C-alpha cells in the first residue's frame, strides 16, 4: 500500500475513516478482499506470492495496515515479506503496544516499512526507519512511502481532501473513492528525491498511479462508527475491469 489516509476520532459519526490505495506491479498475483480460510476472523486481500497483506481487519476489531518505505538502494530482495507484519498482528492476540515492542526489540531484517496497528479506539504507528512507536492523536493523518505525516505532495493533498469530505457532514464512500482516484501529478519543485530518478518520482507523485507495468491495484474504504459498526469496501482494478467487494461488521 502506498497511500494511507486516516481520520481518527475526528468526525461526529465515525471513530475511524480510512482511505487507502495499494500500488503494485500489475502482474503480481493478488486475491481480492475476503475472509481467510486459515483465519476466518480476518478480512482482507492477499498477496498470492508471499502470502501477506497490506491491509486487514478482524471481526473482533483488530486493524493493521502497511506501506513500504521507499529507499531503493537499501531494498532487501532476500528479506522476509513485510506483508507478514500485518498478517501476524490480525491473526494474533498480542496488544498493539506489545506487538510493536516485540518488532522493535527484534530488529528483524525487513526492508523499510510503516506499520499501523490497533483498533478503532487506539492506533499506533511504527517504522523500522524511525524506531519510534507513535500513538496516533485525534485528527487526520497520512502516510505514503516515507514516515507518518511526512509532507509529500500526495499526502498533503490527500489529507486536505479528506478534511473537506469530513467537513461535509455525511461521509459518502464515493466521495472517498473519488479522492483516491486522483491522478494529478505534483510539480517537479515539490517532488521528494528518494533515489529513483525524476521520471519515476513524477509517476509516483499522484494518489492514483497508472503506467504500463505498475500502478494502483486497489482502493479501500473502512468506516467505523461510534456504535462500532464497521463497513469495509474494496475496489480493485484489473485492466479495465473494476470490482467492488464489501462487508460489514459489528464489533
Amino acid at each position: 500500500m502506498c497511500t494511507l489516509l486516516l481520520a481518527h476520532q475526528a468526525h461526529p459519526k465515525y471513530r475511524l475513516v480510512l482511505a487507502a490505495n495499494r500500488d503494485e506491479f500489475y502482474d503480481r498475483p493478488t486475491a481480492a478482499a475476503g475472509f481467510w480460510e486459515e483465519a476466518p476472523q480476518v478480512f482482507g486481500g492477499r498477496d498470492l506470492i508471499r502470502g501477506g497483506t497490506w491491509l486487514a481487519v478482524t471481526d473482533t476489531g483488530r486493524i493493521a495496515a502497511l506501506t513500504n518505505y521507499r529507499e531503493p538502494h537499501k531494498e532487501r530482495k532476500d528479506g522476509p515479506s513485510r506483508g507478514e507484519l500485518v498478517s501476524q498482528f490480525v491473526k494474533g492476540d498480542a496488544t498493539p503496544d506489545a506487538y510493536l515492542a516485540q518488532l522493535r526489540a527484534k530488529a528483524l531484517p525487513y526492508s523499510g516499512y510503516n506499520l499501523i496497528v490497533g483498533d478503532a479506539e487506539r492506533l499506533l504507528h511504527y517504522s523500522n526507519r524511525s524506531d519510534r512507536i507513535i500513538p496516533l492523536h485525534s485528527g487526520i493523518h497520512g502516510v505514503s512511502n516515507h514516515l507518518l505525516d511526512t509532507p509529500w505532495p500526495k499526502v498533503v493533498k490527500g489529507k486536505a481532501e479528506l478534511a473537506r469530505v469530513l467537513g461535509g457532514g455525511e461521509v459518502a464512500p464515493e466521495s472517498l473513492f473519488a479522492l483516491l482516484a486522483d491522478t494529478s501529478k505534483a510539480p517537479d519543485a515539490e517532488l521528494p528525491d528518494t533515489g529513483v530518478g525524476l521520471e519515476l518520482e513524477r509517476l509516483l507523485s499522484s494518489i492514483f498511479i497508472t503506467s504500463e507495468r505498475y500502478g494502483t491495484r486497489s482502493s479501500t474504504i473502512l468506516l467505523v462508527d461510534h456504535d462500532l459498526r464497521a463497513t469495509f469496501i474494496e475496489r480493485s482494478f484489473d485492466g479495465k475491469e473494476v470490482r467492488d467487494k464489501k462487508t460489514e461488521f459489528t464489533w
Side-chain angles (χ1 to χ4, degrees):
M1 184 170 300
C2 290
T3 304
L4 178 62
L5 305 166
L6 307 102
H8 179 53
Q9 306 284 4
H11 189 271
K13 181 176 180 180
Y14 294 105
R15 297 171 184 257
L16 176 65
V17 177
L18 180 151
N21 277 348
R22 180 211 181 204
D23 306 325
E24 185 52 87
F25 287 99
Y26 297 133
D27 62 359
R28 189 175 183 104
T30 298
F35 288 102
W36 296 1
E37 183 175 352
E38 82 282 12
Q41 78 279 13
V42 177
F43 189 89
R46 300 295 289 268
D47 169 28
L48 296 180
I49 292 181
R50 304 294 293 274
T53 186
W54 54 96
L55 170 64
V57 301
T58 73
D59 59 11
T60 58
R62 293 169 76 84
I63 301 167
L66 176 88
T67 71
N68 293 344
Y69 187 100
R70 192 188 307 153
E71 46 180 6
H73 57 294
K74 292 184 179 179
E75 194 76 15
R76 301 188 61 142
K77 301 298 184 185
D78 59 342
S81 169
R82 287 165 286 195
E84 69 182 25
L85 298 170
V86 174
S87 302
Q88 289 171 356
F89 178 76
V90 293
K91 291 197 291 186
D93 57 9
T95 67
D97 300 81
Y99 183 74
L100 294 183
Q102 182 183 42
L103 287 181
R104 186 182 184 193
K106 286 184 175 180
L108 297 173
Y110 293 97
S111 296
Y113 64 84
N114 291 282
L115 181 63
I116 291 177
V117 299
D119 55 35
E121 290 284 351
R122 186 164 184 266
L123 293 168
L124 300 176
H125 169 270
Y126 174 72
S127 171
N128 61 345
R129 293 299 178 261
S130 71
D131 200 34
R132 294 173 58 210
I133 298 173
I134 303 172
L136 268 64
H137 60 74
S138 299
I140 295 176
H141 299 275
V143 61
S144 182
N145 300 116
H146 205 265
L147 300 177
L148 179 71
D149 291 323
T150 296
W152 281 10
K154 63 165 51 176
V155 173
V156 172
K157 186 174 187 179
K159 289 169 64 176
E161 284 297 300
L162 181 54
R164 182 188 62 78
V165 171
L166 296 180
E170 182 59 40
V171 180
E174 284 304 323
S175 297
L176 297 172
F177 279 124
L179 182 167
L180 294 173
D182 184 357
T183 59
S184 60
K185 295 178 174 53
D188 287 356
E190 299 178 11
L191 295 174
D193 182 3
T194 61
V196 298
L198 180 58
E199 184 177 354
L200 193 50
E201 295 285 10
R202 287 172 179 155
L203 173 70
L204 299 176
S205 70
S206 59
I207 294 175
F208 191 99
I209 297 170
T210 59
S211 72
E212 184 177 343
R213 300 177 54 241
Y214 179 91
T216 299
R217 297 283 303 275
S218 63
S219 297
T220 304
I221 305 300
L222 175 64
L223 303 172
V224 184
D225 68 19
H226 289 284
D227 294 323
L228 294 181
R229 288 189 295 263
T231 301
F232 184 113
I233 310 172
E234 178 189 84
R235 182 165 292 175
S236 57
F237 308 94
D238 182 10
K240 294 183 178 180
E241 183 182 2
V242 179
R243 295 171 294 174
D244 282 9
K245 187 66 176 292
K246 177 178 180 179
T247 193
E248 297 184 353
F249 307 99
T250 299
W251 286 337

